[in-house]
Amino acid sequence: MKDAPLILVVDDTPTNLEVVTEALGDAGFEVAIATDGERAIKQATISQPDLILLDVMMPGIDGFETCHRLKATPTTREIPIIFMTALSDTTDKVRGFNLGAVDYVTKPFQEAELLARVTTQLKLRNLQQSLEQQVEQRTAELRAALQQVQQSQVQLVQSEKMALLGQLVAGVAHEINNPINFIHGNLSHVQEYTEDVLSFVQLYQQHSANSAPELQAAAENLDLEFIQHDLPKTLASMKIGTQRIFEIVRSLRTFSRVDESECKAVNIHEGIDSTLLILQHRLKNKPEHPEIQVIRDYGQLPPVACYAGSLNQAFMNILANAIDALEELDAKRTYQEDQNKPSQITIRTSVINHQSVEIAIADNGSGIPKEIQQRIFDPFFTTKPAGKGTGMGMSISHQIITEKHRGKLLCSSTSGKGAEFIIQIPIQQQICAAS
């Protein structure tokens, strides 16, 4: 910061330069001089004075042209210019003001008037700069506040959506659970009854040689031998089906996490698997894109203290983005390319440093350009078309991992080789222990 304002005095007359320089110096200003317009422009560009006193009548380019060039250059445009002139013609003064001058000082100089005009213009410039800084600062604050409000609104909507989804999934799981319990519970009885009936039929067949012709004909029409062989298989298949429904219901309940507001130790793999179940319809083979293979490379993880519902939301956002990337790539590829390089999502889990767990979710899509990687966790940033995304999914995931779980969310990508998101969270959360 300069101790005193710097004033550039431009005049081709040495006597005028001496008078003005002495007056300004005695008043405590720093002074630089130039004797023509060209030198004045170079000097102003280099030293960036706080004010310029510019003579109108000079050899070479006159004061008007010098002023015009100074005002046309971004680095000197804002420097206030006071013309020094013996001209009294109003037309010349108007011309100077139109070119951007802020004031006139008439020769011969009156020292008090000169200092008064210089001081006034410097005060005005300082006031203008101060106001501009305040406006800029206030604008930045308002912009940040608006962004925070928008982010909070979207986060609230996302949280409500996830809460509603959790409630819906929990409700559906509960409704499915009741009838499937009834079916599964009765299957064991049906199996026992069937075994008894088949034993009776087998015994009957052993003594059917003398049975009525009508009974023998009915047995042949029923194909009892096939029924005896196939019925146990059918019942076993039904039992497997009900067990599979039980697994689905359990996964749905795991994903919904109706107790998601609580921080407690959970099985991370169950959360990932339940999230994949919710996204299963997008992973299956469809006419518009082939099946997306999911490779689970799970390590031995201990129970992890976390907010399970929120963590599942982060898994959902990251996996959904990976599916989006693979679908976008598949839409551009040929059938043969799809066969040669099937779309894959690899999920790898491990313990690091005995204190944290790492969940790496990688896809073999097109990758993320470097310039986008730097902004991928910014609120409202999205590369998707309008209506396809809010740009908040990755931002919310970042907040869930870094702020809510005191962890890290990293992105690594190479163009043409896919992208990998790495989640690292502590096994134990101090905030959980406190609660």
Side-chain angles (χ1 to χ4, degrees), residues 189-307:
H189 298 301
V190 171
Q191 191 167 17
E192 291 177 10
Y193 300 155
T194 301
E195 289 173 357
D196 291 342
V197 170
L198 291 178
S199 296
F200 175 78
V201 170
Q202 188 174 14
L203 181 62
Y204 167 78
Q205 285 180 315
Q206 292 174 3
H207 302 83
S208 62
N210 300 321
S211 62
E214 292 85 354
L215 291 176
Q216 292 181 6
E220 290 177 3
N221 291 334
L222 285 173
D223 197 355
L224 283 176
E225 184 177 351
F226 173 78
I227 293 175
Q228 287 173 310
H229 178 73
D230 192 60
L231 186 54
K233 290 184 179 180
T234 302
L235 290 172
S237 177
M238 291 171 66
K239 194 168 186 178
I240 292 172
T242 57
Q243 289 173 343
R244 174 59 181 148
I245 295 174
F246 273 130
E247 293 175 4
I248 293 172
V249 169
R250 182 176 59 82
S251 293
L252 290 173
R253 293 169 70 91
T254 298
F255 176 81
S256 66
R257 293 290 183 182
V258 292
D259 58 348
E260 67 173 334
S261 61
E262 298 179 9
C263 180
K264 65 178 186 179
V266 301
N267 185 327
I268 291 294
H269 294 154
E270 287 184 354
I272 298 172
D273 289 341
S274 66
T275 306
L276 287 170
L277 177 69
I278 300 296
L279 294 170
Q280 186 64 37
H281 68 288
R282 297 193 60 191
L283 299 170
K284 292 180 178 179
N285 184 28
K286 296 180 180 178
E288 58 270 23
H289 65 79
E291 176 190 6
I292 297 174
Q293 301 174 0
V294 177
I295 301 171
R296 295 173 173 87
D297 183 10
Y298 290 169
Q300 294 293 326
L301 300 188
V304 177
C306 64
Y307 296 93

Side-chain angles (χ1 to χ4, degrees), residues 400-434:
I400 289 171
I401 301 301
T402 61
E403 296 182 19
K404 202 165 188 177
H405 290 89
R406 304 295 188 268
K408 297 179 182 178
L409 177 56
L410 310 172
C411 173
S412 174
S413 180
T414 303
S415 182
K417 295 186 178 180
E420 182 178 48
F421 287 88
I422 298 174
I423 299 169
Q424 295 177 351
I425 58 173
I427 295 172
Q428 298 296 330
Q429 293 279 344
Q430 292 182 354
I431 194 167
C432 283

Side-chain angles (χ1 to χ4, degrees), residues 3-5 7 19-31 111-112 114-116 118-119 122:
D3 295 331
I7 299 175
V19 170
V20 175
T21 299
E22 184 177 353
L24 295 173
D26 291 342
F29 297 110
E30 289 187 22
V31 182
E111 182 174 333
L114 173 67
L115 294 177
V118 167
T119 302
L122 287 173

Side-chain angles (χ1 to χ4, degrees), residues 9-22:
V9 182
V10 187
D11 199 313
D12 64 319
T13 305
T15 304
N16 291 338
L17 284 176
E18 184 179 350
V19 170
V20 175
T21 299
E22 184 177 353

Side-chain angles (χ1 to χ4, degrees), residues 317-333:
N317 290 334
I318 295 171
L319 286 166
N321 270 10
I323 294 171
D324 288 342
L326 292 171
E327 286 180 347
E328 183 178 348
L329 177 62
D330 287 335
K332 301 175 183 177
R333 300 197 302 181

